[in-house]
Amino acid sequence: ICHRRYLNSEAQQDLPPELHASALWNESTIAYLGGDFKRLYNASSDQLEAAIQCGDNMSSVFGEHLVRHADAWTRPTGEESTTALREHKLAREIGDQKGLCWALYGRAEPLARAGQLSEAAAMMQQSFRTLTSERWYGTEPVCRGVHGYLLMQASNYDRAANTLCSAWEMTRTQWMFHSFNVLSLPLYLESLVGPTWQDRQTGADRKLRKRLARWILALYRSALVLQPSMLRSLGRYAASEGKEHKAFQCFERARNLTKERGMPYHHARILLDLAATKKEGRDENRTEAIRLLKEMESVIPRAESWLLGDQYDEAVVAPKFDLEAWEREHGPISVPTRENTIVD
């Protein structure tokens, strides 16, 4: 509220450009964390202009980075990739190592969402390699989270669970519960439940799934931008426990939020989960989901193609991808061993 009052007042004219750019930076971040994307895009445009005027290159990188994160929720993969390329170019020009990591996993995410899994793997590998000299506990969990998402898009849920476990444990032990890091939590639960989440599940990780669901509930109110993803993972978890009505309630709430906040890709994913949960409106939900996925230039994991039912469309399904074969040829996608630790 204070930032908004300042930005809408004449007081901003009396501050040095550096402080004005900083205020716009904070406004953009607050807007993103609140899921207010329209406000974010407006503030980010002003913030980037102010940062360029005062020669604050690192703020410029962060501005592009924040827009890329917002693009992942709101825009087609092509537009998100364009933003990530701008971020990459700027970070490379000024020699910002951490910005390079951001930009490279930022390029990997839309490629994975679009089903370009080999290209996404290459970007992910480069992103991890930027962390060779230092360890950033505010950055690495996000990087690992994107890696986990890539693995799920490649239908490798077991390996995704291992990667997302490390991301979540790093977040939890450092108590860095901001939305960028916490995204690994619903993804982790989703990876454990797996692609056939409608099947009643038991097994050794049942207590772990329950514990993760409790963490999601505990963090739900403080992670506004993540609420649709959290509800979706809770819905899948409920379905895996045989609680179909609770699953439907979670999906229904998530559908309303994604529609209200303008998150087309996530809206499509939730419509498919709704169609799997309730027969009423099933065909309509699947038709709309396929339309939105094509509009967002996005695909679902091949292991989840059953969600499309009799409306199967290869255009919205990720291709088969042998990640192990890719790594044998190009090297592993992993975090290098290093000694230095920085909490960023």
Side-chain angles (χ1 to χ4, degrees):
I1 294 174
C2 291
H3 275 292
R4 262 186 273 178
R5 287 177 177 173
Y6 157 73
L7 289 168
N8 291 330
S9 71
E10 296 180 0
Q12 58 177 302
Q13 299 175 3
D14 301 325
L15 281 181
E18 295 84 356
L19 292 180
H20 178 55
S22 178
L24 288 166
W25 175 335
N26 289 329
E27 171 72 0
S28 299
T29 305
I30 292 166
Y32 174 80
L33 296 176
D36 189 342
F37 298 114
K38 183 178 180 181
R39 188 170 128 222
L40 162 70
Y41 285 124
N42 289 336
S44 291
S45 177
D46 294 338
Q47 185 262 330
L48 284 166
E49 183 178 346
I52 291 170
Q53 286 178 352
C54 66
D56 187 352
N57 290 327
M58 292 191 70
S59 290
S60 299
V61 172
F62 181 78
E64 295 286 14
H65 178 65
L66 204 56
V67 170
R68 203 286 305 164
H69 271 287
D71 287 351
W73 294 99
T74 63
R75 291 178 172 171
T77 56
E79 292 184 33
E80 184 185 354
S81 290
T82 299
T83 303
L85 278 168
R86 288 199 306 266
E87 180 187 1
H88 191 189
K89 182 175 182 292
L90 185 55
R92 190 169 49 206
E93 285 175 353
I94 68 172
D96 182 353
Q97 187 80 348
K98 184 163 62 175
L100 278 172
C101 179
W102 294 350
L104 287 163
Y105 74 63
R107 292 182 65 184
E109 195 279 337
L111 289 168
R113 180 156 64 99
Q116 299 176 44
L117 302 178
S118 179
E119 295 87 346
M123 291 297 108
M124 202 71 250
Q125 185 183 66
Q126 290 183 52
S127 183
F128 278 133
R129 286 176 178 174
T130 63
L131 299 173
T132 53
S133 60
E134 296 172 338
R135 186 166 206 148
W136 299 299
Y137 276 118
T139 294
E140 189 173 324
V142 189
C143 190
R144 289 178 182 266
V146 175
H147 185 207
Y149 172 71
L150 163 60
L151 289 166
M152 283 199 288
Q153 285 290 92
S155 296
N156 196 333
Y157 291 81
D158 290 341
R159 185 169 169 187
N162 290 332
T163 298
L164 292 163
C165 174
S166 65
W168 167 241
E169 284 303 304
M170 193 176 290
T171 298
R172 184 184 64 81
T173 55
Q174 294 294 319
W175 285 79
M176 301 193 73
F177 297 130
H178 55 68
S179 295
F180 303 104
N181 285 17
V182 173
L183 180 58
S184 62
L185 175 59
L187 289 175
Y188 184 20
L189 179 57
E190 189 176 324
S191 69
L192 288 172
V193 172
T196 55
W197 46 269
Q198 273 202 315
D199 297 339
R200 186 70 179 268
Q201 297 184 13
T202 55
D205 63 358
R206 190 177 181 189
K207 288 184 178 179
L208 172 59
R209 296 197 302 268
K210 184 176 183 179
R211 187 161 66 247
L212 293 175
R214 286 177 173 174
W215 267 109
I216 290 173
L217 291 171
L219 295 172
Y220 179 81
R221 291 185 180 276
S222 63
L224 297 178
V225 72
L226 300 182
Q227 286 176 345
S229 289
M230 288 177 155
L231 287 168
R232 182 164 165 269
S233 65
L234 288 173
R236 289 187 166 200
Y237 166 68
S240 74
E241 291 289 311
K243 301 175 182 178
E244 293 184 5
H245 181 66
K246 187 173 182 179
F248 172 75
Q249 287 180 318
C250 289
F251 295 146
E252 189 69 20
R253 287 172 63 192
R255 176 174 67 172
N256 293 337
L257 282 178
T258 52
K259 186 175 182 179
E260 175 187 319
R261 296 177 183 177
M263 301 173 167
Y265 165 68
H266 294 272
H267 190 66
R269 298 293 301 270
I270 289 160
L271 287 176
L272 290 176
D273 287 1
L274 267 173
T277 308
K278 192 171 184 180
K279 187 174 181 179
E280 182 182 349
R282 177 170 293 167
D283 290 342
E284 293 82 357
N285 284 335
R286 283 174 173 163
T287 298
E288 178 63 5
I290 291 168
R291 185 190 71 79
L292 286 172
L293 287 169
K294 289 180 177 179
E295 185 179 294
M296 290 294 105
E297 304 161 354
S298 303
V299 299
I300 63 173
R302 181 161 290 272
E304 297 187 25
S305 60
W306 65 270
L307 289 166
L308 299 171
D310 58 6
Q311 296 189 49
Y312 181 86
D313 189 331
E314 188 72 17
V316 296
V317 177
K320 293 180 180 179
F321 179 60
D322 189 339
L323 182 59
E324 285 71 22
W326 187 94
E327 288 184 310
R328 285 195 296 272
E329 181 179 353
H330 300 283
I333 303 173
S334 60
V335 179
T337 302
R338 56 205 181 279
E339 298 178 356
N340 298 335
T341 299
I342 292 180
V343 179
D344 58 337

